[in-house]
Amino acid sequence: MRAVLMAGGSGTRLRPLTCDLPKPMVPILNRPIAEHIINLLKRHHITEVVATLHYLPDVMRDYFQDGSDFGVQMTYAVEEDQPLGTAGCVKNIAELLDDTFLVISGDSITDFDLSAAIEFHKRNKSKATLVLTRVPNPVEFGVVITDEQMRIRRFLEKPSTSEIFSDTVNTGTYILEPSVLDYLPINEECDFSKDLFPLLLAKGEPMYGYIAEGYWCDVGHLDAYREAQYDGLYQKVDLDFAYQERKPGLWIGQNTYIDPTAKIETPALIGSNCRIGPRVTIEAGTVIGDNVTVGADADLKRPILWNGAIIGDEAHLRACVICRGTRVDRRAHVLEGAVVGPLSTIGEEALVSPGVRVWPCKRIESGATLNINLIWGQTAQRNLFGQRGVQGLANIDITPEFAVKLGAAYGSTLKPGSQVAISRDQRSISRMVSRALIAGLMSVGVHVQNLEHTAIPIARLVIPTLSVVGGIHVRVHPDRPDYILIEIFNAQGINISKGQEKKIEGAYFKEDLRRSQIHEIGNVGYPSQVNDLYSTGFTRHLNIEAIRNSGSKVVIDYGYSVSGAVLPQLLGKFGCDAVVLNASLNQMGLSTHEREGLLAQLGHVVEALRANFGAQVSANGEQLILVDESGIPIRGEMLTALMVNVMLTANPRGTVVVPVQASSAVEQIARRHDGKVIRTKANPTALMEASQTNPNVVLGGSGEMGFIFPHLHPGFDAMFCMAKLIEMLTIQERSLGQIRTDLPRVCHKTYTVRCPWTVKGALMRHLVETHPNENLELVDGVKIVDYQTDSWVLILPDAGEPLVHIFANSDDRDWVDESLRKYRNYVQDFVEQHEQGFVEPPKVEAMTS
């Protein structure tokens, strides 16, 4: 059998290790990853290896040559012009693959039993067998779902946190029959996971998953690289060591001198031709390459030192990576997680802070403290974007420096000379951040249309009229007054897609930032009559005569956080009386308790003034809580049902879009009006996109997120919602209280349970495996449905926190309470058993209603 070794990657997330090395040639225990893979293949009697190369192909060819020194026969296939993808490059060598063959990734460390996987493939007469494994956190990998016979039923490539249906992932090792390559185009980029395997699934070809026992680590980023070294050293994975074991846990190469006063804890690995000086301390977990010199009194706590490194006297190294030929001078400190690229110099008594990366051939002067990456910018978290834009603690995570770089990263993904609109709320912190974003955009040659402080619904409506390619809105987070939220829109005013977010993250983390010449720097314009544009659109989508004839009185509470100028003026033009409360700005923001106090106050004012209704507006004009004519608050699921009722009464056979966790009252109301309900993932972008792309949508959103009126603009709009309510109540001759009493009586409750990130995937997989497919909906999280009674339970992983939300919904209150208790206990037991190392998950009874 032949093996195809996929060795084309440049290892962007392993920079600066891979600036001059392809990822498969990065050393683990002083041997390239690719050599460990070849040793594994030999163990299973696979000695014909074809390596597909793209990035720096000569490095691997020069090392392995024809393979004879390594006990195999090596041939090479180089993608000369552009990468063809994982499947495309194998298609390119189809003439070499005339029998069952194995494909294995060149950037993972594993000791899987390949012989058992091959035997499984042949026994099942499979056309394609994917070698799978189970991991604690599957977000970074392709998730695979199989049936009881291990036949593959579903793929999900790199799911978001709420899409984790399983913890069984694709390891990039496949056993294939040559005939599957017939499905692939010639000389076109294509991928096994994204293109070939879904096609084979659709064609009904026999495709199986083999869950392998043993160790597997995808060496895809620097943390994983260090972990693979330590796991190898502690023999958690079966690897062949390059050196003799001189005593238990200590491997030392040839011609290495260690001073008798040096102290070495095991396990440790020291290469050939090394010199370890007097009184050196080497802690367990340290890996030292060949030809390394360590000076007197140096203190090495689990560093990884590549070949040819020179470590000075009294240097302190802490769980860092020091690459080939780098010099660390006397008394220098390189701390946890730092990486110093090849042929660099760290001067005397210099300090490289934790997590900092130094690119190749750099020099850090004596006594300097390096807190940012050299040359490619400072360190940040792996993902910029969360569930809803970029967010973080105001002036701690979201600083002016951060915002300048974010603006430059976003602008670098756009064409020079593009225009972007930017808006914000009225807070001083938002003004500061927006100005920094503007500076970053200008620096890369992007022009800015500055809308200044503008309610977010106005910004979304105006953006399509300004000939801009997108927009940015900065505000204090609706749910966290100490957080800043930065949302980026496309040209239609909808939050950008995940793909666009990834491009911005790539530019940010790789410092791939355009720098414009002086004459190319962007300009800033200030569009006029922004509120007039909103007023025109606002008016066009309302029955103004109905509003004029209503004589309505409404009370608007702005909660000291939203400008009160726009809506009262608009309603005043239509002959309505708008009473405004708490319209001044509180820079500190309100606590939940304070907001509840204002809501109670609003109820009293509505009653006293005999107003038609009241509304507490929040989230810079996006969200609201209603108060009916009796002063009773209407919020959450009741508010969702009320708005659906009002809009479908006015638009029979219309469509509404709601998040997956919304109450089934929505479906009951839709049936009354012959309407249609579309449920989406529980995030704002999904709601906006579905409201725009589906026909005949009259309302989107929920009481928690706000409401979308897609004919007006694609975002949430509390202001238009209030005006629309005045119109609808007048035409339908009903009050909010009357509508509220007419709503279906559905019991809908939620409970939140702690669930570590590392357990979420296993939990979701077990829920999928233990419930019949016909009762499952996997729009977002795992929803277990009893279609006969409209009863369901939804287990939804939180996108930003180590939590799981459990929703239970039914006409039967006792059923809801029992189901919530049952699944809450189930999740808590599952988490507890996983943390204690038990493999047998708790049982949960089948749902009955």
Side-chain angles (χ1 to χ4, degrees):
M1 175 182 281
R2 279 195 175 93
V4 179
L5 176 60
M6 309 290 292
S10 61
T12 303
R13 293 171 67 191
L14 281 174
R15 299 288 171 87
L17 305 185
T18 57
C19 288
D20 60 356
L21 281 180
K23 189 157 51 166
M25 295 305 292
V26 169
I28 298 282
L29 302 184
N30 295 356
R31 278 182 162 162
I33 295 173
E35 187 173 347
H36 288 295
I37 294 171
I38 285 171
N39 287 339
L40 175 67
L41 294 173
K42 278 196 304 182
R43 255 183 262 159
H44 295 279
H45 312 293
I46 301 171
T47 57
E48 293 183 52
V49 181
V50 183
T52 63
L53 312 176
H54 177 68
Y55 177 67
L56 301 175
D58 289 342
V59 176
M60 180 175 279
R61 282 193 295 209
D62 290 347
Y63 185 87
F64 289 105
Q65 298 187 29
D66 64 0
S68 56
D69 290 344
F70 300 87
V72 294
Q73 177 187 325
M74 293 283 292
T75 53
Y76 304 92
V78 180
E79 302 167 64
E80 299 287 357
D81 300 321
Q82 63 177 22
L84 293 172
T86 57
C89 64
V90 176
K91 173 70 172 181
N92 233 20
I93 56 170
E95 70 277 1
L96 300 176
L97 307 171
D98 54 2
D99 199 356
T100 305
F101 64 95
L102 180 138
V103 175
I104 190 164
S105 170
D107 52 14
S108 58
I109 291 292
T110 182
D111 55 10
F112 286 159
D113 186 344
L114 300 181
S115 299
I118 293 165
E119 194 275 331
F120 171 90
H121 171 86
K122 292 181 176 177
R123 184 173 69 248
N124 286 282
K125 297 182 172 56
S126 176
K127 286 293 183 70
T129 297
L130 283 65
V131 178
L132 311 175
T133 192
R134 288 181 174 149
V135 297
N137 185 4
V139 170
E140 293 292 319
F141 308 107
V143 169
V144 179
I145 295 177
T146 60
D147 62 18
E148 293 178 356
Q149 286 73 43
M150 301 309 296
R151 188 157 180 164
I152 291 172
R153 295 302 180 196
R154 186 170 182 188
F155 294 100
L156 188 61
E157 188 67 17
K158 296 189 179 179
S160 67
T161 49
S162 62
E163 293 176 311
I164 299 171
F165 305 135
S166 174
D167 60 351
T168 307
V169 302
N170 178 2
T171 66
T173 299
Y174 316 123
I175 303 150
L176 305 174
E177 295 302 316
S179 60
V180 302
L181 299 181
D182 296 340
Y183 287 100
L184 295 173
I186 298 172
N187 288 326
E188 287 185 25
E189 184 175 354
C190 48
D191 185 87
F192 281 120
S193 298
K194 294 178 184 175
D195 302 311
L196 179 60
F197 295 151
L199 181 60
L200 294 178
L201 200 61
K203 296 288 186 182
E205 293 280 17
M207 185 163 44
Y208 287 81
Y210 173 80
I211 299 179
E213 300 295 328
Y215 180 93
W216 177 76
C217 178
D218 174 33
V219 188
H221 52 83
L222 293 169
D223 290 342
Y225 174 70
R226 286 190 297 273
E227 286 305 313
Q229 296 270 8
Y230 300 144
D231 289 345
L233 201 55
Y234 281 86
Q235 297 182 282
K236 295 180 182 179
V237 53
D238 183 11
L239 298 179
D240 296 329
F241 283 76
Y243 314 110
Q244 181 181 351
E245 189 173 14
R246 302 298 177 92
K247 67 176 186 178
L250 179 61
W251 293 267
I252 300 175
Q254 299 295 316
N255 195 33
T256 284
Y257 172 78
I258 300 173
D259 190 275
T261 59
K263 295 180 180 177
I264 304 175
E265 293 181 359
T266 58
L269 182 145
I270 303 172
S272 299
N273 305 311
C274 294
R275 297 292 178 266
I276 310 298
R279 299 172 301 282
V280 168
T281 301
I282 297 176
E283 190 174 282
T286 298
V287 176
I288 298 175
D290 297 335
N291 306 306
V292 172
T293 300
V294 181
D297 299 293
D299 185 13
L300 310 186
K301 287 185 167 60
R302 301 200 310 151
I304 298 162
L305 309 181
W306 288 17
N307 295 353
I310 300 172
I311 310 302
D313 297 350
E314 301 178 58
H316 290 255
L317 307 182
R318 302 279 184 274
C320 55
V321 179
I322 306 295
C323 291
R324 172 180 55 86
T326 284
R327 195 177 88 211
V328 180
D329 287 344
R330 187 172 66 94
R331 294 182 182 167
H333 288 63
V334 185
L335 302 183
E336 290 89 347
V339 178
V340 183
L343 305 176
S344 295
T345 300
I346 311 298
E348 288 190 10
E349 300 188 12
L351 185 145
V352 180
S353 295
V356 167
R357 305 178 193 181
V358 179
W359 257 244
C361 306
K362 300 295 178 284
R363 178 177 178 81
I364 299 171
E365 295 181 357
S366 298
T369 297
L370 188 66
N371 292 318
I372 62 172
N373 291 350
L374 188 71
I375 276 292
W376 281 12
Q378 69 188 57
T379 312
Q381 67 270 34
R382 192 176 301 159
N383 296 317
L384 283 179
F385 288 85
Q387 176 85 330
R388 185 172 193 163
V390 179
Q391 61 186 38
L393 283 165
N395 217 25
I396 295 175
D397 299 321
I398 309 295
T399 61
E401 304 93 321
F402 171 86
V404 167
K405 185 175 173 185
L406 177 62
Y410 173 42
S412 295
T413 67
L414 308 174
K415 293 180 181 178
S418 298
Q419 297 208 59
V420 168
I422 191 161
S423 55
R424 58 175 174 83
D425 67 16
Q426 289 182 293
R427 307 292 176 84
S428 297
I429 181 71
S430 302
R431 181 190 298 115
M432 178 190 79
V433 172
S434 69
R435 287 177 175 176
L437 284 163
I438 289 169
L441 288 163
M442 292 173 65
S443 74
V444 296
V446 172
H447 305 301
V448 175
Q449 295 293 318
N450 190 356
L451 305 181
E452 301 184 282
H453 65 82
T454 307
I456 191 168
I458 298 176
R460 289 192 195 272
L461 183 142
V462 167
I463 278 173
T465 71
L466 294 178
S467 300
V468 296
V469 298
I472 305 176
H473 188 81
V474 182
R475 55 173 161 158
V476 171
H477 198 288
D479 306 319
R480 292 285 304 270
D482 55 343
Y483 266 52
I484 285 289
L485 174 62
I486 302 171
E487 291 178 273
I488 302 180
F489 313 146
N490 63 19
Q492 287 74 48
I494 301 174
N495 287 30
I496 59 173
S497 67
K498 290 294 180 190
Q500 290 170 300
E501 288 179 357
K502 293 298 182 189
K503 286 183 180 178
I504 296 169
E505 286 179 345
Y508 182 94
F509 288 122
K510 292 189 284 184
E511 292 282 333
D512 191 9
L513 308 178
R514 193 168 60 230
R515 287 293 174 224
S516 298
Q517 298 181 41
I518 292 177
H519 67 278
E520 297 171 330
I521 297 295
N523 299 316
V524 181
Y526 296 87
S528 60
Q529 300 178 320
V530 169
N531 287 350
D532 291 342
L533 284 169
Y534 180 76
S535 176
T536 302
F538 193 96
T539 306
R540 189 185 306 126
H541 293 92
L542 291 170
N543 184 334
I544 300 304
E545 285 307 308
I547 295 175
R548 285 192 197 282
N549 295 330
S550 70
S552 295
K553 179 185 287 185
V554 295
V555 184
I556 309 170
D557 174 17
Y558 283 105
Y560 302 111
S561 61
V562 181
S563 168
V566 179
L567 184 58
Q569 289 180 358
L570 290 172
L571 294 179
K573 285 199 307 186
F574 307 147
C576 294
D577 186 4
V579 178
V580 175
L581 306 178
N582 308 318
S584 60
L585 189 66
N586 177 352
Q587 291 288 354
M588 296 298 293
L590 297 179
S591 68
T592 302
H593 177 72
E594 289 169 329
R595 218 169 239 297
E596 287 299 315
L598 293 182
L599 190 62
Q601 178 196 75
L602 173 61
H604 296 317
V605 173
V606 168
E607 269 194 293
L609 295 179
R610 298 179 184 273
N612 295 77
F613 65 88
Q616 186 182 75
V617 180
S618 60
N620 202 18
E622 281 195 327
Q623 297 169 9
L624 81 169
I625 297 172
L626 293 177
V627 171
D628 72 11
E629 66 275 14
S630 303
I632 299 172
I634 301 172
R635 64 171 109 191
E637 294 304 321
M638 183 180 290
L639 179 54
T640 307
L642 183 140
M643 288 302 302
V644 168
N645 188 311
V646 167
M647 294 303 293
L648 288 182
T649 299
N651 302 276
R653 294 181 295 282
T655 299
V656 293
V657 176
V658 295
V660 64
Q661 74 272 28
S663 155
S664 63
V666 173
E667 277 83 5
Q668 293 187 34
I669 295 165
R671 284 195 285 269
R672 294 179 186 175
H673 301 282
D674 198 20
K676 179 182 177 184
V677 177
I678 295 173
R679 289 181 178 261
T680 73
K681 297 182 189 302
N683 68 69
T685 304
L687 282 164
M688 285 187 265
E689 289 176 345
S691 297
Q692 286 293 314
T693 55
N694 287 285
N696 203 27
V697 174
V698 296
L699 183 75
S702 70
E704 298 294 338
M705 294 188 195
F707 295 101
I708 299 166
F709 300 87
H711 298 298
L712 176 68
H713 65 77
F716 307 95
D717 194 331
M719 299 181 288
F720 187 79
C721 183
M722 293 170 64
K724 197 70 177 174
L725 269 176
I726 294 171
E727 174 196 319
M728 294 290 102
L729 296 179
T730 303
I731 293 172
Q732 297 172 20
E733 298 182 337
R734 296 191 292 174
S735 69
L736 283 189
Q738 290 170 334
I739 297 172
R740 179 170 53 82
T741 58
D742 190 39
L743 296 175
R745 293 289 175 252
V746 174
C747 185
H748 183 279
K749 292 185 179 181
T750 182
Y751 191 89
T752 297
V753 183
R754 185 188 70 85
C755 182
W757 291 103
T758 53
V759 180
K760 285 183 180 179
L763 172 64
M764 294 296 106
R765 172 175 59 83
H766 191 256
L767 286 163
V768 170
E769 289 176 348
T770 53
H771 292 83
N773 282 337
E774 58 270 20
N775 293 118
L776 292 181
E777 291 181 3
L778 303 178
V779 172
D780 205 2
V782 175
K783 195 176 202 178
I784 304 121
V785 186
D786 181 344
Y787 291 103
Q788 291 183 336
T789 62
D790 264 350
S791 301
W792 49 258
V793 173
L794 170 67
I795 295 87
L796 183 67
D798 191 281
E801 301 290 336
L803 303 170
V804 164
H805 307 289
I806 305 171
F807 299 86
N809 175 98
S810 178
D811 294 340
D812 183 341
R813 181 177 296 274
D814 291 338
W815 185 91
V816 166
D817 291 338
E818 173 60 20
S819 297
L820 209 57
R821 182 198 61 78
K822 182 169 65 177
Y823 280 92
R824 179 189 67 204
N825 292 340
Y826 168 78
V827 173
Q828 289 171 336
D829 290 347
F830 192 96
V831 169
E832 184 179 335
Q833 291 192 19
H834 259 259
E835 289 182 330
Q836 293 174 357
F838 294 117
V839 295
E840 180 63 30
K843 299 287 191 297
V844 63
E845 298 170 10
M847 178 188 301
T848 56
S849 178

